[in-house]
Amino acid sequence: MSQTTLPRRMSRTDSRSKATGATLYTADFEHRGALHAAVVRSTVSSARIRLIDCTAARSLDGVVAVVSAGDLPEALCGRRVRDMPLIARNVIRHVGERVAVVLAESRATAEAAAALVEVEYDDLRAVFDAQAALRDGAPRVHDEPWRYPGAVVTEAMHPNLQSVVSEGDADTTEDRLAQSAFLVDETYTIPSTKQGYLEPQAWLAVPLDDGRVRLRGTTKSPYRLREQVSTCLGLQPGDLEVEPTPLGGDFGGKGAPGDAPLCVALARMFKRPVRLVLRSAEDLTATDARHPASVRVRVGCDSSGALTAMAFDALFSGGAYAAHKPTATVNLHGAVEAALGYRLPAWSVRSRVVYTNTVPKGHMRAPGATATIFAVESAIDELAAAAGLDPVEFRAANLLGDGDVDAYGHRWRQARAVPTLRAAATAPASVPTPQGWAGGVGVAVYCRPTAASSTSMRLLPKADGGFEVEVPIPETGTANHTVVRELLAERLDVPAELVEVRQVSTSQLPGDPGVGGSRVTVGIAVAVDELARRWELSGKDGPVEVQSGDSLPKPVLSYAAQVARVAVDRATGQVKVLELVSAVDVARVVNPVAHQLQIDGGTVMGFGSAVMEDLIEDDGQLWAANLGELKLPCAADIPKLTTVLVEGGDGIGEANVKSIGELTNVAVPAAVANAIADAVGVRVRDLPLSAEKVWRGSQSLGEERGLRS
Amino acid sequence: MKLTVDLNGSTRHIDLDATTSLLDWLRSLGLTGTKEGCGIGVCGACTVLVDDLPVSSCLTLIGVLDDRHVVTVEGVADSDPGLVEAFVDCEAMQCGICTPGHVMAAAGARRAGVGLGDDSGDVDEEIRQWLAGNLCRCTGYETIVAAVRSYLER
């Protein structure tokens, strides 16, 4: 399968300024007269604050104020459920929670003073584990969570629930499972990790003379942030202007309001700019890490290998606040869509998210899907093994095909699961297994709908025949501004270098939902179509503006099938991932390099989840709260990466595009687990897939064999 | 503490607390191309050259820099345009926060004679080992390794 793409006209818009260090990120902006903030964060998981002693902190030269809850409005913030206080009000619910904030004339002074704030706590009972949180009589993380604005739970539910979604037909599913010739019933677990962006979250809130506040910060969704902050503080959206700023990485972590509402409140209160730049360890400890999960999958097939039913039951630890989850269900769509990929005569899905006294969890690249697909694609492999069937053929016989109706009742005109799977499975191995190691091959498939959503843009003709395009979307690194340039240049039939793309502030365009949900390229494509039409209609004169969204195209499905080739040392359990093959179901690729970077970066993130990453939450403390302990893959760690583009798919818009950003990070852990099972017969159901777990598995396998013989 | 530092080819006489980090000093001069990532010498976003060797400027105290030569990304952008071109040509970045650090690691690689191949003559593997102190969460490293190789071959 060859790569047919648009001709390469120009490199990405941002490469030179990034390579020379000229690109300015939030922390690179100073503001004359700014107060520097440093947050005092809780060291305990569950407590009542007895005393905050600021005497020593206040006595430091250059300290302007030490602020705690009593000095601030009683405001709650969140993306959907508003359950998170600006700053802890009497009660502490997690390590890293905001207790007080120091404002000083320099960052060093603020941090030194923050270390001098003495906080005395009266410990309360805490609950850390999601399972334990749902027991009768478990400590309540919140007294009455159903009272929070936006809450989706009721008083009748367990008080530690953040969200429950139940879909499908449980009774039929139980019947069909009971009648299955082969059945797998296993539970799979994944720990928390961090999105792993290298730029810590940072905010600069500048009060203006007219009473408004101009905010610059690490946000991937400026318009939503404006709404969240203004709702939290009782302002009008127009009272706040979010400045365009590139991001130093996101991967889902920079959609939450974070410390922005606090900084805006402080800037208004002190009538001075407030600048807060988190330290990396603080960012890891106190911002929105990935939800750890425990997923039970029961899946069966008949004697011919046709799937009979699947019962999927996920339990996520949501941490101390639900505030970081944006969806209407306050759940994780990766889990809710667990039944999407296969033809299932009967199915049930339940996904529960619970409050625990741990760091509030948020979105990370394909939220919920890493846990879901690790569980489902491991279970599918286990079922194939139980039925004595080849894992590739077993999948091929059961995956959705063109015209199939998925479990949720949606008919997909095109579902290219099987060609994508075959493309991955037939890619030739290019790395030999080292001598003395056991080699294994594993496969896993991820299916994801691509849907466009509304966005806005403005086209301004320039005197030289070129164009300026104003967009609401920050450049998170995915080359989305480059994609705007290339698509628009094509539609307007001008050289790409004549199109200049600029992100503008939230006061200058109608709106945008932000980067996320794999919506950017497809959303851009639809908006560019509309913009080009308006430009024609305007007689090619004057600025034209669009807000797309009136008639969005139907969603399409995208697939990634990934093959892992591993070598396992039987004596120690050490796993070497030799090669990861990613076959990706694509329509037309706009910018081949940017597209490939999304594939590679995603695959490596999946590799990190598979074999390396764990924040190690222990009684609410994070033991890997620095980038030395939280091991993100480096250049020397990663295996050979091979990509097969399965082209010719039906995409969205006249550009015929599909999304790519959240496809290749998801199935890697299952593919590696399946490869380990293939190599040494050991099934590891807990991420990361460490040598210790493989070794322990091989020991018990030996014992079983010993008993049998 | 009074000291003299050669920064990007110009001599600076400074009087600073010896425990000021090199990173903080550079950024206070407006040289914001050097980024603070992890702050503990792991991620490499703050890499600069000190006497031709790449170091984490977050862990380097100004007090040890008397009579040393410091080169930042702003310095190589002017003096070694081929280095920037290699990263631009290979599109060796996405969000870009790690890019100046990778550029400086590449500058250090050439000065250290990297690129002749490891024991088995595998240049890419040698580059990957050299870059092990520079994290990138976006790209998967393929184009970064290609950029460094392209630069070393220039």
Side-chain angles (χ1 to χ4, degrees):
Chain A
M1 279 161 221
S2 67
Q3 188 164 312
T4 55
T5 54
L6 294 177
R8 291 291 311 291
R9 286 166 298 217
M10 273 179 95
S11 173
R12 48 192 299 147
T13 58
D14 53 354
S15 53
R16 189 165 307 274
S17 65
K18 285 177 175 173
T20 55
T23 299
L24 297 176
Y25 302 84
T26 301
D28 299 329
F29 288 88
E30 296 280 350
H31 200 286
R32 277 172 67 91
L35 289 169
H36 294 258
V39 180
V40 179
R41 296 188 187 268
S42 169
T43 54
V44 299
S45 299
S46 179
R48 200 161 280 285
I49 299 170
R50 190 189 327 138
L51 178 76
I52 303 175
D53 182 355
C54 310
T55 321
R58 285 203 175 105
S59 70
L60 221 56
D61 262 359
V63 170
V64 172
V66 183
V67 174
S68 57
D71 308 311
L72 286 163
E74 197 166 337
L76 292 168
C77 58
R79 297 175 81 176
R80 176 84 195 182
V81 183
R82 291 197 288 123
D83 62 354
M84 184 183 277
L86 274 184
I87 203 159
R89 195 163 281 272
N90 304 323
V91 180
I92 293 295
R93 298 189 175 91
H94 69 92
V95 169
E97 179 150 20
R98 295 177 285 258
V99 174
V101 56
V102 176
L103 295 171
E105 301 294 349
S106 77
R107 187 184 185 193
T109 305
E111 288 179 343
L116 294 175
V117 173
E118 300 267 0
V119 187
E120 291 178 24
Y121 301 100
D122 290 321
D123 284 341
L124 297 172
R125 288 171 69 215
V127 63
F128 306 112
D129 175 71
Q131 207 82 259
L134 287 181
R135 290 199 189 112
D136 287 343
R140 286 183 175 209
V141 179
H142 296 262
D143 288 336
E144 298 180 320
W146 54 86
R147 291 200 191 279
Y148 290 122
V152 293
V153 291
T154 65
E155 195 173 350
M157 295 178 178
H158 192 289
N160 281 336
L161 273 171
Q162 290 184 1
S163 166
V164 191
V165 171
S166 293
E167 295 200 40
D169 181 343
D171 291 343
T172 315
T173 302
E174 293 304 326
D175 287 349
R176 297 285 172 87
L177 286 173
Q179 292 159 18
S180 298
F182 301 98
L183 184 70
V184 164
D185 177 358
E186 296 291 353
T187 297
Y188 305 83
T189 50
I190 75 163
S192 187
T193 185
K194 198 68 178 86
Q195 295 87 1
Y197 48 77
L198 294 185
E199 174 206 30
Q201 295 190 14
W203 306 98
L204 177 60
V206 181
L208 305 177
D209 289 340
D210 60 10
R212 294 184 308 130
V213 175
R214 190 171 285 154
L215 177 65
R216 186 185 294 284
T218 46
T219 177
K220 65 167 186 163
S221 43
Y223 292 80
R224 293 243 166 115
L225 178 74
R226 180 179 67 166
E227 186 188 314
Q228 289 150 11
V229 174
S230 52
T231 304
C232 168
L233 299 178
L235 307 173
Q236 296 302 311
D239 295 339
L240 199 64
E241 180 175 8
V242 182
E243 291 279 283
T245 314
L247 296 191
D250 160 38
F251 319 110
K254 288 174 178 167
D259 298 307
L262 176 62
C263 291
V264 171
L266 292 170
R268 286 167 53 82
M269 187 172 159
F270 287 88
K271 306 207 173 355
R272 283 179 67 178
V274 170
R275 182 178 187 271
L276 171 64
V277 180
L278 299 194
R279 298 289 181 184
S280 175
E282 184 183 13
D283 185 293
L284 287 167
T285 313
T287 67
D288 47 348
R290 180 176 78 188
H291 289 69
S294 163
V295 183
R296 183 180 176 199
V297 178
R298 291 177 298 146
V299 59
C301 66
D302 64 19
S303 54
S304 74
L307 288 177
T308 49
M310 178 173 81
F312 174 93
D313 190 4
L315 180 60
F316 292 95
S317 170
Y321 296 101
H324 292 331
K325 282 181 284 290
T327 57
T329 58
V330 194
N331 214 289
L332 298 166
H333 64 73
V336 175
E337 291 169 359
L340 185 60
Y342 290 91
R343 284 197 305 272
L344 289 165
W347 61 282
S348 67
V349 165
R350 182 169 68 156
S351 176
R352 292 172 296 171
V353 188
V354 301
Y355 284 112
T356 53
N357 290 109
T358 65
V359 175
K361 302 306 188 294
H363 272 190
M364 178 167 165
R365 205 171 193 167
T370 300
T372 299
I373 297 300
F374 174 57
V376 170
E377 286 296 292
S378 294
I380 288 284
D381 235 58
E382 295 199 62
L383 185 59
L389 295 168
D390 175 78
V392 172
E393 296 309 322
F394 181 63
R395 284 181 173 83
N398 286 289
L399 283 162
L400 291 185
D402 292 352
D404 278 349
V405 178
D406 69 28
Y408 304 86
H410 188 94
R411 182 179 297 280
W412 297 99
R413 207 173 64 74
Q414 190 180 57
R416 305 199 306 154
V418 176
T420 309
L421 171 67
R422 298 250 181 248
T426 55
S430 61
V431 184
T433 305
Q435 204 133 47
W437 294 63
V441 182
V443 67
V445 180
Y446 175 49
C447 163
R448 183 187 176 93
T450 290
S453 52
S454 132
T455 187
S456 53
M457 279 185 201
R458 187 182 294 116
L459 184 72
L460 303 126
K462 294 199 294 191
D464 64 359
F467 295 93
E468 214 172 79
V469 194
E470 294 176 345
V471 298
I473 315 164
E475 176 55 89
T476 52
T478 59
N480 60 50
H481 291 184
T482 306
V483 168
V484 171
R485 179 171 73 178
E486 296 192 359
L487 289 178
L488 203 59
E490 186 184 53
R491 292 302 306 270
L492 302 176
D493 198 23
V494 295
E497 54 269 34
L498 288 185
V499 179
E500 189 195 331
V501 181
R502 276 196 315 129
Q503 186 198 349
V504 292
S505 85
T506 51
S507 302
Q508 291 165 271
L509 280 170
D512 177 78
V515 174
S518 292
R519 73 166 72 87
V520 175
T521 300
V522 287
I524 286 171
V526 171
V528 162
D529 288 345
E530 183 63 31
L531 200 58
R533 270 195 293 276
R534 294 265 174 100
W535 173 244
E536 290 293 329
L537 286 173
S538 75
K540 303 190 177 184
D541 185 35
V544 290
E545 181 185 304
V546 296
Q547 183 170 26
S548 65
D550 292 340
S551 59
L552 290 169
K554 282 186 180 167
V556 295
L557 277 187
S558 297
Y559 285 91
Q562 291 174 293
V563 165
R565 296 203 173 85
V566 305
V568 182
D569 177 19
R570 289 180 193 277
T572 63
Q574 189 189 344
V575 176
K576 280 188 191 176
V577 181
L578 303 173
E579 182 171 14
L580 292 169
V581 179
S582 301
V584 188
D585 166 24
V586 299
R588 197 179 62 160
V589 175
V590 180
N591 182 307
V593 180
H595 189 261
Q596 186 66 48
L597 285 167
Q598 289 290 78
I599 293 171
D600 290 346
T603 307
V604 170
M605 191 177 280
F607 167 79
S609 279
V611 297
M612 297 174 74
E613 295 171 28
D614 183 353
L615 265 175
I616 318 176
E617 291 190 292
D618 188 7
D619 284 358
Q621 299 280 353
L622 303 186
W623 290 97
N626 65 69
L627 290 181
E629 299 298 326
L630 177 65
K631 290 176 176 51
L632 307 183
C634 75
D637 290 321
I638 62 172
K640 163 106 174 126
L641 305 178
T642 300
T643 302
V644 188
L645 297 180
V646 184
E647 292 190 283
D650 291 341
I652 284 177
E654 295 200 21
N656 190 36
V657 292
K658 286 190 181 185
S659 56
I660 189 65
E662 297 172 283
L663 271 187
T664 58
N665 58 305
V666 176
V668 176
V672 174
N674 294 341
I676 292 169
D678 181 52
V680 291
V682 174
R683 175 57 63 176
V684 182
R685 301 186 185 90
D686 175 51
L687 295 184
L689 305 162
S690 65
E692 291 84 349
K693 291 173 197 170
V694 175
W695 183 82
R696 266 186 242 119
S698 67
Q699 292 302 106
S700 56
L701 207 63
E703 282 164 22
E704 276 173 35
R705 282 186 189 137
L707 287 173
R708 279 199 207 115
S709 61
Chain B
M1 178 182 179
K2 285 187 176 161
L3 62 161
T4 303
V5 181
D6 182 298
L7 175 60
N8 293 334
S10 63
T11 305
R12 306 267 182 155
H13 301 286
I14 51 179
D15 188 357
L16 277 174
D17 184 333
T19 63
T20 305
S21 76
L22 174 54
L23 173 65
D24 284 349
W25 178 57
L26 293 172
R27 292 182 61 86
S28 76
L29 300 174
L31 297 175
T32 52
T34 307
K35 306 299 181 189
E36 177 175 328
C38 69
I40 55 168
V42 170
C43 77
C46 68
T47 303
V48 301
L49 298 185
V50 172
D51 291 354
D52 285 347
L53 268 179
V55 302
S56 294
S57 61
C58 69
L59 293 186
T60 305
L61 303 185
I62 203 87
V64 304
L65 294 177
D66 198 23
D67 291 331
R68 306 274 186 147
H69 291 74
V70 175
V71 180
T72 70
V73 69
E74 291 88 353
V76 293
D78 292 337
S79 66
D80 194 354
L83 177 51
V84 167
E85 290 313 312
F87 276 72
V88 171
D89 289 350
C90 296
E91 306 205 7
M93 73 287 291
Q94 286 192 284
C95 85
I97 202 82
C98 74
T99 312
H102 274 100
V103 166
M104 297 314 295
R110 170 170 273 178
R111 287 159 175 80
V114 173
L116 306 170
D118 63 5
D119 292 346
S120 62
D122 185 339
V123 175
D124 275 4
E125 186 52 32
E126 192 193 5
I127 291 170
R128 285 177 186 276
Q129 293 296 336
W130 180 264
L131 294 178
N134 291 80
L135 294 176
C136 168
R137 188 64 155 173
C138 294
T139 64
Y141 300 102
E142 300 281 309
T143 59
I144 297 174
V145 173
V148 175
R149 186 179 57 233
S150 152
Y151 167 64
L152 295 177
E153 285 167 355
R154 274 171 208 228

